[in-house]
Amino acid sequence: MGWERITSEVVHRGPHITLRRDSVRQPGGTAGVYEHIVVHDIVRVVALDEDGQVILVEDDFYLQQRRVLHLPGGSTDGQHPHEAARRELEEETGLMAGRLRTLGVIDPLPAATAARCHLLLATDLQPGKTNRDETEKGMTVHRWALRDAVAAVRDGRITEAGSFAALLLAAAETATETALPKGLDPAT
């Protein structure tokens, strides 16, 4: 791989993140220090209702100091990504996924964390129960046409990395599905 970890120490451990400082040998052989964040993987869910509307949420984000429009999702908390996606979708929107499938996986900040973002498509939505945590009390739910959500990615209204990638993948996948003859499943 080119990188070698010599030692590793915890600089900070909090309830949600751990900051580590590693002594490393870099690919060129030079000794160095690499600081990185250890967090659980995350999920983002493209939930499409029976009318082809995508479910978006909008919430206040502390670091951005603004409301951010994004897909439902959050930390896996160590769960399998599908379990976490089902949990996060219901907690944030009050909807349960009848069907769930993987769209892809991205590394949103590969120089800062090994955590990955799992992108999923949820369909056959059923009513469930909203159960937001204290940080999500001001969250609102929106239903947009998928094409409008993709337009929001393109014009900078949706900027969260997982939402950005998942919406583009879902749009490409649904375009492929509608172009195929009936009964042909692109997953096979």
Side-chain angles (χ1 to χ4, degrees):
M1 196 259 317
W3 288 84
E4 179 186 356
R5 178 183 298 135
I6 310 300
T7 64
S8 185
E9 68 175 303
V10 173
V11 177
H12 169 79
R13 186 181 313 273
H16 304 289
I17 71 164
T18 298
L19 177 60
R20 297 193 76 90
R21 180 180 295 126
D22 295 350
S23 295
V24 299
R25 185 158 328 283
Q26 299 172 24
T30 306
V33 173
Y34 203 103
E35 295 178 336
H36 58 100
I37 302 164
V38 179
V39 294
H40 287 293
D41 284 1
I42 62 172
V43 294
R44 286 290 176 227
V45 183
V46 178
L48 290 176
D49 69 13
E50 65 282 351
D51 297 322
Q53 302 274 302
V54 64
I55 311 302
L56 297 166
V57 293
E58 188 174 19
D59 201 10
D60 298 311
F61 275 69
Y62 173 71
L63 293 176
Q64 286 70 25
Q65 290 294 298
R66 62 181 167 83
R67 289 186 65 76
V68 175
L69 186 63
H70 59 93
L71 292 170
S75 174
T76 63
D77 290 333
Q79 290 179 304
H80 184 278
H82 283 220
E83 292 174 35
R86 288 181 191 284
R87 174 181 46 80
E88 287 289 338
L89 178 63
E90 185 175 12
E91 285 177 0
E92 294 182 0
T93 70
L95 296 168
M96 296 187 304
R99 291 185 58 204
L100 195 64
R101 69 178 190 249
T102 299
L103 290 169
V105 179
I106 62 172
D107 294 308
L109 294 168
T113 183
R116 306 187 88 194
C117 181
H118 302 267
L119 312 173
L120 299 112
L121 178 66
T123 55
D124 298 331
L125 304 179
Q126 304 297 319
K129 183 176 180 179
T130 304
N131 184 24
R132 297 183 185 137
D133 67 33
E134 195 60 36
T135 65
E136 300 167 330
K137 293 299 182 193
M139 182 178 281
T140 55
V141 177
H142 306 271
R143 290 178 188 250
W144 288 19
L146 182 56
R147 72 178 170 279
D148 293 339
V150 170
V153 165
R154 293 180 188 277
D155 69 21
R157 288 178 288 153
I158 295 178
T159 59
E160 190 274 322
S163 299
F164 192 108
L167 286 165
L168 295 179
L169 288 170
E173 184 166 311
T174 58
T176 300
E177 287 175 1
T178 58
L180 293 172
K182 277 200 176 293
L184 186 59
D185 183 356
T188 58

